[in-house]
Amino acid sequence: MKNHLLLSVLLTGAFLSCTKTDDTTPVADSKYQEEGYVMASISQTSASNTFYAGYFPTLPSGNIDLTAKSSYASFYPTAVWKNYMFGQPLVSDKKLSKQAIVKATGAVEEVASIPLVDFLTRVVIINDQLGIYSTGGNRALFMFNPTTMVNLGQIDMTSAQNFPDNETNIYANLTYRASDNRLFAALYTNSSKTGQFYDAQNVYVEVINLTTKKWEKTAIYEQATYPFTRGSENGIVDEAGNVFIITQGQYGLDGQLGANAAKRSRPQILKIPAGGTDFDKTYSFNPVNAAGLPNLIFQLLLGGVYDANGIVYACISGQQDSARLLALITKLATNTITATEYQELTNLAFYDANQRWAKLDLTAKTATFIQDMPLTAGYAYPITYKYDGKIYMPVYNSTLKQNGIYSYDPTTSKATQLNSLTAGGLITHFYKLTK
């Protein structure tokens, strides 16, 4: 049975403002925490999922039991603006939810929301007055005010790329370039009639001018697929304004396996040059190949956050395929694999500790593993964040009994384990709140 990798995420925002009267009037104390950290996890069983989220006034270090914090039916924020989180509501529903941490209890509370026709997919906050969100509707892209939570209308995308025979045509990845006020919306297209997760042979990125609030054009890169990957919550834009689009490829689900697989079926980072709105057709960077693993059956490129000077940190395939994985792949290729063996194959390929966090140089096209971070099941939840000059990345390695967040200092090239999750499942989010 086909499992969708793409998680629907519902995002929202709200803001409470006070009217200043005179300098002697005391300002009402906010109900919500204005600074600190939020760490969240998911505990999965065959019957249900339970989400945990906890507030920490300082960096959450040492052993952490998130089950001692609050639990939720759902917790999928994918954007933070100041001290508010925007994402899926705390109960499954079609709306964009703005959430905050209640001072009195430390619990997450919905501050405001915008009702939707379809489930929300992605949100990006531009400033206090403008946010953009996409939904599961066909090429649906909307504007809203994250302060007042007023819907500002839909962007006309009728001229954008569409695959009417595919049930899904949504914008799963939104990247904002401030230098010319443009939004780049990558199309995720999928048909339930195939076993793969992306049903096109090229990448399509829609260019929206946020000054005019209008669609401008479709940028196309041929022979690349799936411009969305697990953990890709951060738009990658360098200091000059170059936009980088991470593409995953097909996981071998299109029959293209190993070093001789079609270029489109393997991970690539693509580039839209500064000031431009078309792809640089000469730029393609496969970091797994660059790390010295071109012969892997599966190649994974997960997460990703931009640091500075052309450097990105991401989770990539980190070791040679095991003998058991290769044996199961052979069975899959000859159509002799059983349902039990297929589940084993999935666990080995995606949830075993096969990946490593790496430093990617987008200019030199090099990939260097971070040596003092162990192998991780990066496909679990490969979140990546940059706060106060440090890069934060989770490691899940059941063999080593590791399940926590590492802090990496680019100035010293050293990583240290920040915390260890003793209960609560797998880490899914780690947010810093600011005033």
Side-chain angles (χ1 to χ4, degrees):
M1 181 181 292
K2 180 175 180 179
N3 296 318
H4 291 280
L5 297 182
L6 181 64
L7 294 176
S8 295
V9 287
L10 308 178
L11 306 168
T12 212
F15 181 83
L16 302 177
S17 60
C18 301
T19 302
K20 182 177 178 181
T21 54
D22 57 62
D23 293 340
T24 62
T25 302
V27 178
D29 189 30
S30 173
K31 175 184 178 182
Y32 303 110
Q33 295 287 358
E34 295 180 326
E35 295 182 296
Y37 298 86
V38 178
M39 185 171 162
S41 66
I42 181 173
S43 179
Q44 298 172 295
T45 68
S46 58
S48 64
N49 297 328
T50 302
F51 298 81
Y52 299 97
Y55 169 77
F56 301 85
T58 59
L59 279 169
S61 60
N63 292 332
I64 293 175
D65 177 1
L66 278 181
T67 65
K69 303 290 186 177
S70 299
S71 63
Y72 304 92
S74 177
F75 187 74
Y76 278 124
T78 59
V80 166
W81 186 254
K82 298 181 179 178
N83 62 322
Y84 293 98
M85 298 170 288
F86 297 80
Q88 180 176 345
L90 300 175
V91 294
S92 182
D93 198 2
K94 296 177 181 179
K95 61 180 179 179
L96 185 155
S97 173
K98 180 177 183 176
Q99 300 159 3
I101 301 294
V102 179
K103 283 183 179 179
T105 64
V108 181
E109 179 177 278
E110 182 173 276
V111 179
S113 66
I114 296 176
L116 306 176
V117 175
D118 302 288
F119 284 104
L120 187 136
T121 302
R122 183 65 69 185
V123 167
V124 61
I125 309 298
I126 310 302
N127 54 45
D128 284 337
Q129 287 76 45
L130 181 63
I132 308 293
Y133 67 89
S134 59
T135 73
N138 187 279
R139 298 169 297 165
L141 202 59
F142 300 85
M143 300 173 290
F144 75 106
N145 185 315
T147 300
T148 63
M149 288 301 287
V150 172
N151 209 332
L152 301 178
Q154 186 169 0
I155 297 174
D156 184 0
M157 301 297 288
T158 54
S159 298
Q161 178 69 40
N162 187 36
F163 292 90
D165 292 336
N166 295 346
E167 298 96 326
T168 302
N169 289 281
I170 63 176
Y171 302 117
N173 191 296
L174 304 176
T175 299
Y176 174 66
R177 184 168 68 188
S179 58
D180 59 358
N181 202 27
R182 278 178 170 78
L183 182 76
F184 297 85
L187 178 69
Y188 169 78
T189 183
N190 182 57
S191 169
S192 62
K193 298 176 183 178
T194 72
Q196 57 199 45
F197 302 111
Y198 180 84
D199 288 288
Q201 293 194 354
N202 305 318
V203 161
Y204 304 88
V205 174
E206 306 300 339
V207 183
I208 296 94
N209 186 327
L210 291 182
T211 301
T212 63
K213 308 296 191 298
K214 294 183 181 298
W215 171 89
E216 284 189 338
K217 64 186 299 182
T218 303
I220 303 173
Y221 193 99
E222 297 179 351
Q223 295 301 297
T225 57
Y226 210 170
F228 174 80
T229 186
R230 198 147 185 167
S232 59
E233 297 181 356
N234 306 295
I236 308 296
V237 185
D238 68 12
E239 296 88 343
N242 296 301
V243 175
F244 295 89
I245 305 294
I246 293 177
T247 69
Q248 175 54 64
Q250 294 283 11
Y251 304 100
L253 295 172
D254 56 352
Q256 298 287 325
L257 297 168
N260 295 322
K263 179 183 176 182
R264 67 176 181 273
S265 299
R266 292 159 79 79
Q268 299 177 70
I269 300 178
L270 312 176
K271 176 182 177 181
I272 298 175
T277 53
D278 281 316
F279 282 105
D280 176 353
K281 302 301 175 60
T282 68
Y283 186 96
S284 173
F285 172 33
N286 181 329
V288 183
N289 284 354
L293 296 168
N295 297 317
L296 292 184
I297 296 296
F298 294 119
Q299 289 189 345
L300 294 177
L301 169 55
L302 308 165
V305 67
Y306 186 77
D307 181 22
N309 303 313
I311 301 300
V312 163
Y313 293 91
C315 193
I316 66 175
S317 298
Q319 67 176 3
Q320 296 293 338
D321 296 316
S322 68
R324 180 56 177 166
L325 178 63
L326 293 174
L328 291 172
I329 286 292
T330 300
K331 286 194 170 190
L332 178 65
T334 57
N335 201 30
T336 59
I337 196 167
T338 67
T340 300
E341 289 172 331
Y342 183 80
Q343 184 62 50
E344 182 186 359
L345 169 62
T346 301
N347 289 336
L348 283 174
F350 297 132
Y351 295 101
D352 204 16
N354 297 320
Q355 291 86 52
R356 294 190 71 174
W357 289 98
K359 174 183 177 180
L360 312 182
D361 189 321
L362 299 175
T363 303
K365 296 183 182 178
T366 59
T368 306
F369 292 124
I370 300 175
Q371 294 302 318
D372 47 4
M373 290 184 68
L375 286 161
T376 179
Y379 193 80
Y381 288 91
I383 58 173
T384 331
Y385 301 107
K386 178 183 177 182
Y387 301 131
D388 304 318
K390 302 285 183 64
I391 310 298
Y392 294 92
M393 301 162 280
V395 166
Y396 177 73
N397 188 313
S398 58
T399 301
L400 298 177
K401 294 181 171 55
Q402 290 211 23
N403 182 19
I405 293 176
Y406 273 69
S407 170
Y408 177 80
D409 187 342
T411 62
T412 62
S413 299
K414 296 294 182 182
T416 56
Q417 187 167 5
L418 174 66
N419 57 45
S420 178
L421 188 64
T422 60
L426 296 175
I427 299 168
T428 58
H429 302 87
F430 179 51
Y431 289 132
K432 181 180 181 181
L433 308 179
T434 59
K435 291 183 180 180

